[in-house]
Amino acid sequence: MGSLADSAGFSSTHVVVFPFMSKGHTIPLLQLSHLLLRRGATVTIFTTPANRPFISASVSGTTASIITLPFPKNIDGIPEGVENTDKLPSMSLFVPFATATKLMKPQFENALATLQNVTFMITDAFLGWTLDSASKFGIPRLATYGFSGFSTAVNRSVIMSRVLFDPNVVSDDELFQLPDFPWIKVTRNDFDSPFMDREPTGPLFEFVKEQVIATGNCHGLIVNSFYELEPKFIDYLNRECKPKAWSLGPLCLAEQSKSTSEKPPWVKWLDDKLENEGRSVLYVAFGSQVELSAEQLHEIKIGLEKSGVCFLWVVGKNGKYVETEFEGRVKDRGLVVREWVDQKEILKHESVKGFLSHCGWNSVLESLCAKVPILGWPMMAEQPLNVRMVVEEIKVGLRVETCDGTVRGFVKWEGLAKTVRELMEGEMGKAVRRKVEEIGDSAAKAMEEGGSSWRALNRLIEDIHAFRSKEFV
Ligand code: UDP
């Protein structure tokens, strides 16, 4: 990344990083830690015992320190030893799990008291309680949701305009216009319950409200994006909302894949498809949390089989419904992987020409950076908004066809096979492929020395030092 001159003051910067215990939240903060370390900052990362090995593996060979705090015990519904949302028996336990983290506050503060010269902390927005600890120690806190500027801005816009509660919008699948962004149309079903309800209530709503208020009161918001990708939305956040939003990404470009002596079997399989058969491959993965029904998985299997394309499917939590018999049937052109993979490495492989994805924001960014067009199939959280962005705003992907045309509709094999073929072989696929190449180039430029995200990180460090020096005047 070129010369690392330190006019911004990285070498006198000590950053405390506390990721939330979900892979999709932890990974970008580890990538940001790599970036800060490379620029010369000191980094201390907080985690829990069961999450430590993943974090240690990521930062091994760097000067990052790791502090382990015990995860709270005897939480109703949370089995002993579960310290990450990907191990929760059901995502319906998210609120008790996330709320339990508050019990870590005394140990967090004891550990903070032992640290020297902390300049600022970056903690996940779901750890809103860390704002109070930060204030006690006089440390500025920056938060991150790990969302795009687009979904953050659209969420804010629908709340402030109360457009979700318009009585003229009768059906949850009816498109309506956003007052702040009149060219964007969404449906109520683009938002999870209870946020799409007329009178949102309940534990998830209360939890999110508390985190949003804490974020509003902290020193800054880190957005894993780059200005050129979504200037209207980043400008909106900085014009309409507190705190200031800093676009420092795509953070997936900040960490190089670790080279291993032996290629994993799925990479060898990709090599073979490319070198011996000259075939393109569709990568299929739905992130670390999505749980699909047996019926939906049945349609995916038939759809992939009938599409005729080569595919590499990382099944994650859904492996139990993907039988070895299916693997046997498709073995000439399909590979099912049950292990944790290096997704960035797969996306960068020359044979991979499409990504069937739930559009978690990290997956979207990784696909853009690898210049791979996306077939978007949103499942939960802000994924429906990410798919709107991918398909309608930045035009780097297509949407999977649901049987009733709705955002959350069931996907039958015919709709899947048709859209897979369109992405891999059709005219619409060609158009989004051209666009993703362009965006992939601008993502790389943003992260290079002198690029927009590079400059934003410099300004952030300068801003924090200036802020802290005022405290002593
Ligand atoms: N990931 C990975 N290997 C796997 C599964 C997931 O490296 O086997 C990574 C993926 O590259 C991404 C993250 O896990 O960085 C998932 O984040 P995303 O926002 O895409 O989805 P989530 O899991 O939060 O739904």
Side-chain angles (χ1 to χ4, degrees):
M1 276 204 179
S3 101
L4 301 178
D6 188 24
S7 53
F10 284 90
S11 56
S12 56
T13 303
H14 179 183
V15 191
V16 159
V17 176
F18 198 165
F20 183 68
M21 303 81 178
S22 276
K23 292 286 190 306
H25 287 242
T26 301
I27 289 170
L29 277 187
L30 293 176
Q31 293 162 341
L32 179 55
S33 301
H34 276 271
L35 187 58
L36 289 163
L37 288 161
R38 213 167 41 248
R39 301 292 303 273
T42 304
V43 173
T44 303
I45 305 171
F46 280 78
T47 190
T48 69
N51 290 298
R52 187 177 174 119
F54 186 80
I55 290 180
S56 306
S58 165
V59 296
S60 69
T62 74
T63 57
S65 311
I66 304 176
I67 296 181
T68 311
L69 306 176
F71 192 83
K73 294 204 183 307
N74 305 322
I75 308 299
D76 240 6
I78 314 291
E80 201 62 37
V82 170
E83 298 181 8
N84 196 292
T85 59
D86 65 4
K87 296 275 185 308
L88 280 176
S90 154
M91 279 309 280
S92 62
L93 292 165
F94 173 77
V95 175
F97 177 87
T99 308
T101 64
K102 280 188 193 176
L103 300 170
M104 298 166 76
K105 197 169 172 222
Q107 288 99 330
F108 179 57
E109 292 178 2
N110 287 343
L112 274 183
T114 66
L115 294 179
Q116 304 290 314
N117 305 322
V118 176
T119 319
F120 67 103
M121 65 168 80
I122 305 171
T123 63
D124 195 284
F126 287 169
L127 304 175
W129 53 266
T130 55
L131 176 64
D132 191 44
S133 310
S135 309
K136 262 188 213 162
F137 286 83
I139 302 171
R141 171 193 180 221
L142 282 96
T144 180
Y145 291 103
F147 292 169
S148 65
F150 177 96
S151 64
T152 313
V154 168
N155 268 319
R156 198 248 178 209
S157 171
V158 296
I159 292 166
M160 299 313 282
S161 63
R162 297 191 58 80
V163 69
L164 286 181
F165 315 120
D166 181 345
N168 297 317
V169 180
V170 182
S171 152
D172 289 346
D173 292 308
E174 191 174 330
L175 283 166
F176 57 85
Q177 212 173 25
L178 296 180
D180 291 323
F181 309 106
W183 68 95
I184 300 178
K185 285 188 177 155
V186 295
T187 68
R188 262 193 222 117
N189 262 332
D190 283 276
F191 304 85
D192 266 354
S193 182
F195 308 101
M196 47 98 81
D197 300 344
R198 282 176 199 281
E199 295 297 334
T201 52
L204 180 60
F205 178 71
E206 292 307 321
F207 172 78
V208 170
K209 195 164 87 182
E210 203 179 312
Q211 313 315 309
V212 170
I213 292 169
T215 301
N217 288 322
C218 68
H219 189 88
L221 176 72
I222 289 174
V223 184
N224 186 7
S225 186
F226 58 107
Y227 184 73
E228 294 79 359
L229 182 67
E230 40 174 356
K232 294 189 189 94
F233 303 97
I234 304 289
D235 287 345
Y236 173 91
L237 293 179
N238 278 323
R239 196 174 60 240
E240 305 288 334
C241 319
K242 263 183 27 176
K244 181 170 170 50
W246 301 89
S247 307
L248 305 181
L251 294 170
C252 58
L253 293 179
E255 185 195 5
Q256 316 306 329
S257 285
K258 290 214 159 60
S259 57
T260 44
S261 48
E262 173 77 8
K263 282 184 185 177
W266 45 92
V267 174
K268 287 187 188 157
W269 185 85
L270 290 174
D271 287 345
D272 181 58
K273 284 283 158 277
L274 181 73
E275 287 154 20
N276 299 328
E277 299 180 29
R279 307 236 5 219
S280 306
V281 175
L282 174 77
Y283 172 51
V284 183
F286 303 116
S288 59
Q289 310 199 118
V290 165
E291 290 160 24
L292 290 159
S293 66
E295 295 75 33
Q296 190 57 91
L297 282 158
H298 180 67
E299 299 292 324
I300 297 177
K301 285 180 277 185
I302 305 180
L304 290 175
E305 202 174 344
K306 301 252 186 200
S307 71
V309 307
C310 291
F311 64 89
L312 169 57
W313 182 7
V314 175
V315 289
K317 278 186 167 181
N318 300 294
K320 63 178 180 290
Y321 297 118
V322 185
E323 315 79 6
T324 45
E325 190 220 332
F326 166 76
E327 289 182 60
R329 267 201 327 265
V330 295
K331 72 173 182 329
D332 291 337
R333 56 181 182 81
L335 184 69
V336 173
V337 177
R338 295 170 193 276
E339 291 94 327
W340 180 264
V341 299
D342 180 345
Q343 176 164 296
K344 287 194 298 176
E345 181 187 34
I346 291 177
L347 282 165
K348 275 194 293 200
H349 196 279
E350 225 186 303
S351 65
V352 174
K353 299 290 185 203
F355 183 10
L356 171 59
S357 168
H358 71 312
C359 286
W361 185 238
N362 296 299
S363 291
V364 171
L365 285 176
E366 289 160 15
S367 209
L368 297 184
C369 292
K371 303 182 181 176
V372 172
I374 298 170
L375 182 56
W377 183 353
M379 310 274 175
M380 56 188 259
E382 91 295 11
Q383 294 152 19
L385 294 181
N386 293 343
V387 175
R388 292 235 175 253
M389 180 186 184
V390 160
V391 178
E392 291 155 29
E393 187 70 22
I394 56 173
K395 300 183 170 58
V396 293
L398 310 177
R399 181 189 284 275
V400 88
E401 189 177 285
T402 56
C403 60
D404 58 2
T406 64
V407 170
R408 290 177 194 262
F410 190 74
V411 175
K412 290 219 171 116
W413 73 260
E414 294 92 335
L416 179 60
K418 184 173 123 192
T419 40
V420 160
R421 277 196 298 265
E422 186 56 50
L423 182 80
M424 298 300 279
E425 295 153 9
E427 285 309 309
M428 290 200 286
K430 279 190 193 134
V432 292
R433 193 174 310 282
R434 278 194 296 274
K435 189 71 191 174
V436 81
E437 303 241 334
E438 217 179 274
I439 291 192
D441 283 336
S442 70
K445 283 206 183 86
M447 290 295 280
E448 278 168 11
E449 184 170 354
S452 62
S453 295
W454 172 283
R455 285 181 277 120
L457 182 58
N458 282 355
R459 281 200 308 277
L460 168 63
I461 299 297
E462 285 161 5
D463 170 90
I464 301 251
H465 281 293
F467 174 81
R468 301 229 50 178
S469 64
K470 270 191 243 144
E471 292 173 329
F472 300 107
V473 176

